[in-house]
Amino acid sequence: QVQLVESGGGPVQAGGSLRLSCAASGRTFNTLSMGWFRQALGKEREFVAAITWNGGTLLYADSVKGRFTISRDNAKNTVYLQMNSLKPEDTAVYYCAARSGGVYVTRGVYNYWGQGTQVTVSS
């Protein structure tokens, strides 16, 4: 089992930045690929970014490329999402997810999920 706890969300003005963190426990973190997803009110949960266990492969949704950066620190069992140049359309609950094996953009292949952290971007 893997437990994931997100933090770092909150209100921010358009153009601002936030860094989300996801702390993992319960299984060797450096065997897991990690992903970030988000779900806006009334919409389906969508892929944001993902990273392999060693950081060798990074994936990003087109909507966040060039603005968001995913990274991880295996010594701290933590994955991060640095979000810059935030837009109102980035407003959503952001979820951390984990799986064994490679990274995918499909949420259904991720086995473990956190509870989410709210990000609200005002114009």
Side-chain angles (χ1 to χ4, degrees):
Q1 281 287 50
V2 177
Q3 292 78 46
L4 303 172
V5 179
E6 303 96 335
S7 61
V12 63
Q13 290 192 331
S17 298
L18 282 176
R19 188 176 81 156
L20 306 184
S21 299
C22 173
S25 61
R27 183 170 171 173
T28 306
F29 182 70
N30 62 8
T31 67
L32 300 171
S33 288
M34 304 296 296
W36 286 97
F37 290 75
R38 67 186 182 187
Q39 188 167 16
L41 196 63
K43 296 188 177 181
E44 291 193 355
R45 194 171 299 187
E46 65 176 6
F47 171 77
V48 176
I51 185 169
T52 47
W53 68 274
N54 62 353
T57 299
L58 309 178
L59 297 179
Y60 293 97
D62 288 343
S63 58
V64 306
K65 278 181 183 175
R67 300 189 298 123
F68 291 10
T69 302
I70 189 170
S71 63
R72 65 190 296 159
D73 185 338
N74 287 347
K76 295 183 178 180
N77 288 0
T78 302
V79 63
Y80 304 98
L81 186 67
Q82 177 67 43
M83 305 187 296
N84 298 329
S85 302
L86 282 161
K87 305 174 181 180
E89 51 263 45
D90 295 318
T91 295
V93 177
Y94 282 72
Y95 296 90
C96 175
R99 70 181 306 273
S100 298
V103 288
Y104 291 88
V105 303
T106 307
R107 66 179 185 268
V109 302
Y110 287 82
N111 307 108
Y112 307 101
W113 291 85
Q115 294 300 305
T117 184
Q118 176 72 48
V119 171
T120 303
V121 185
S122 58
S123 57

